Amino acid sequence: DAGITQSPRHKVTETGTPVTLRCHQTENHRYMYWYRQDPGHGLRLIHYSYGVKDTDKGEVSDGYSVSRSKTEDFLLTLESATSSQTSVYFCAISGVEDGYTFGSGTRLTVV
Amino acid sequence: QQQVKQSPQSLIVQKGGISIINCAYENTAFDYFPWYQQFPGKGPALLIAIRPDVSEKKEGRFTISFNKSAKQFSLHIMDSQPGDSATYFCAASSPGNQFYFGTGTSLTVIP
């Protein structure tokens, strides 16, 4: 997963607590995305960014917020974690013509 | 609604056999159709991609067949090997827009 790192790789948190996941890229790509992966649902888009401070919602954005203050960092925040947000979260980056490059994922468990 | 429909959900193939995974779409604005391969604990990685100006693209043992009139595309893995055991996702996108992913196919190649 050259050029894109996610942190943490694993996290267990309690219901109702805020959680922030970080995606960092060194490719200077304009577009960054947050997906969640769940069995039977594949990859579903949560939020995406097309530049610094430019973000938009995906199909499953409820309960999530994002921020992008620098080109290289895209943060995903679960404002008050729920058990339904237990999932594997992937960050992806892309240039104008490229396909996606995915990070290694963050496995989040909400107990 | 699911923008890209993928089948089958799971597939078991004998070593040396042909694995075939199918995807269908409705949006005729889609012009880029990649396939991603994902191993356990890893992020999806681009395997092969096609644009609708060609009907077939081959890279090694992997071939995409594309039927524009039927709005279908498929991944063929020739001479399947145990190392090909992974989850495969098809996707589609239109210019400047997000990717829509299928729900994934879990492939198991039996030695």
Side-chain angles (χ1 to χ4, degrees):
Chain A
D1 304 319
I4 178 171
T5 55
Q6 291 184 234
S7 59
R9 289 298 312 275
H10 303 272
K11 186 169 181 67
V12 179
T13 192
E14 293 186 350
T15 298
T17 61
V19 177
T20 296
L21 309 182
R22 180 178 183 241
C23 179
H24 178 79
Q25 62 147 329
T26 58
E27 304 297 317
N28 201 35
H29 280 334
R30 177 180 176 187
Y31 299 97
M32 299 185 75
Y33 308 84
W34 277 108
Y35 282 85
R36 60 178 289 174
Q37 184 176 22
D38 304 287
H41 292 278
L43 293 154
R44 293 182 292 174
L45 182 65
I46 305 170
H47 281 279
Y48 63 101
S49 169
Y50 41 95
V52 173
K53 297 187 179 179
D54 288 327
T55 64
D56 207 345
K57 296 179 179 180
E59 63 179 308
V60 290
S61 60
D62 287 349
Y64 301 95
S65 62
V66 291
S67 66
R68 191 169 179 197
S69 58
K70 298 184 290 185
T71 298
E72 57 267 35
D73 290 324
F74 192 31
L75 304 180
L76 176 70
T77 297
L78 289 65
E79 291 144 11
S80 178
T82 67
S83 59
S84 65
Q85 293 176 312
T86 292
S87 185
V88 181
Y89 292 86
F90 286 101
C91 177
I93 60 175
S94 72
V96 176
E97 294 291 333
D98 298 340
Y100 285 13
T101 299
F102 284 88
S104 297
T106 295
R107 182 173 294 277
L108 177 68
T109 303
V110 183
V111 298
Chain B
Q1 85 250 29
Q2 196 73 28
Q3 294 271 354
V4 179
K5 296 182 179 179
Q6 183 173 346
S7 63
Q9 185 175 348
S10 63
L11 182 62
I12 299 174
V13 174
Q14 294 278 355
K15 178 183 176 181
I18 302 173
S19 303
I20 301 174
I21 305 170
N22 300 300
C23 285
Y25 65 97
E26 287 297 326
N27 188 344
T28 55
F30 289 152
D31 73 339
Y32 182 67
F33 302 89
W35 284 90
Y36 284 81
Q37 180 187 54
Q38 183 182 29
F39 293 106
K42 301 290 187 181
L46 180 65
L47 183 63
I48 187 173
I50 197 169
R51 294 196 180 270
D53 53 342
V54 297
S55 61
E56 186 175 283
K57 183 174 182 179
K58 185 175 182 179
E59 291 184 1
R61 296 184 294 108
F62 300 91
T63 299
I64 299 179
S65 297
F66 186 81
N67 186 329
K68 188 174 181 178
S69 61
K71 291 184 284 187
Q72 295 175 348
F73 58 109
S74 59
L75 176 69
H76 296 237
I77 306 174
M78 311 301 287
D79 187 27
S80 298
Q81 299 296 312
D84 297 330
S85 297
T87 299
Y88 293 81
F89 293 96
C90 62
S93 71
S94 54
N97 289 305
Q98 64 173 286
F99 284 23
Y100 294 93
F101 289 87
T103 50
T105 297
S106 175
L107 172 65
T108 302
V109 181
I110 300 171

